[in-house]
Amino acid sequence: QVQLVESGGGSVQAGGSLRLSCAASGRPVSDYTMAWFRQAAGKEREFVAAFRWDGRLRRYADSAKGRFAVDRDNAKNTVHLEMNDLTPEDTMIYYCAMDSIRHRTLSSTDPGQYENWGQGTQVTVSS
């Protein structure tokens, strides 16, 4: 059984930084594309970043490019999302997700590609 547990969320002022972590169990993150999504109250879940299973591709939403970085620690079976220069518009619940198919080449922005989800971690950015 796959379990994903996010941590690292919190409250920061605009311009600040946070580092989110997603600890996986049940499957190695090195075999599955991992992604970060976020969701504001009353809105659809939106793609933030993805780290392809082979480590050769990182994909970012336009809103994340230049500010966020996704990385992976195979030894700890963990993925991270480093977020810098945060703005109030980044205030949402952040979720990590694991692809449903092992070694899939496509790193989709569609939540439907991802089978397993964490419980989410709240990020709040004040102006």
Side-chain angles (χ1 to χ4, degrees):
Q1 181 178 357
V2 176
Q3 187 174 15
L4 303 176
V5 179
E6 300 98 335
S7 61
S11 297
V12 296
Q13 290 190 329
S17 299
L18 283 173
R19 180 177 171 84
L20 305 183
S21 297
C22 173
S25 59
R27 285 179 181 171
V29 296
S30 56
D31 281 347
Y32 294 84
T33 292
M34 300 294 293
W36 289 92
F37 288 79
R38 65 185 187 180
Q39 188 170 21
K43 296 190 177 182
E44 292 187 354
R45 193 164 296 189
E46 64 181 48
F47 171 79
V48 177
F51 190 104
R52 202 169 72 183
W53 69 272
D54 58 5
R56 295 181 178 181
L57 179 66
R58 292 171 172 85
R59 189 173 181 179
Y60 297 96
D62 288 344
S63 60
K65 288 178 182 176
R67 300 189 302 132
F68 295 3
V70 61
D71 209 343
R72 186 179 70 188
D73 185 336
N74 290 341
K76 295 183 178 179
N77 212 33
T78 298
V79 292
H80 302 284
L81 182 68
E82 182 78 27
M83 304 188 297
N84 300 306
D85 194 22
L86 287 163
T87 72
E89 288 70 33
D90 295 314
T91 296
M92 298 190 203
I93 299 175
Y94 286 69
Y95 299 90
C96 73
M98 177 180 280
D99 197 344
S100 59
I101 296 178
R102 181 175 177 266
H103 290 185
R104 181 170 11 206
T105 301
L106 176 66
S107 298
S108 176
T109 63
D110 181 0
Q113 173 173 326
Y114 301 90
E115 180 180 45
N116 299 288
W117 295 81
Q119 82 288 351
T121 186
Q122 176 70 48
V123 171
T124 302
V125 184
S126 59
S127 58

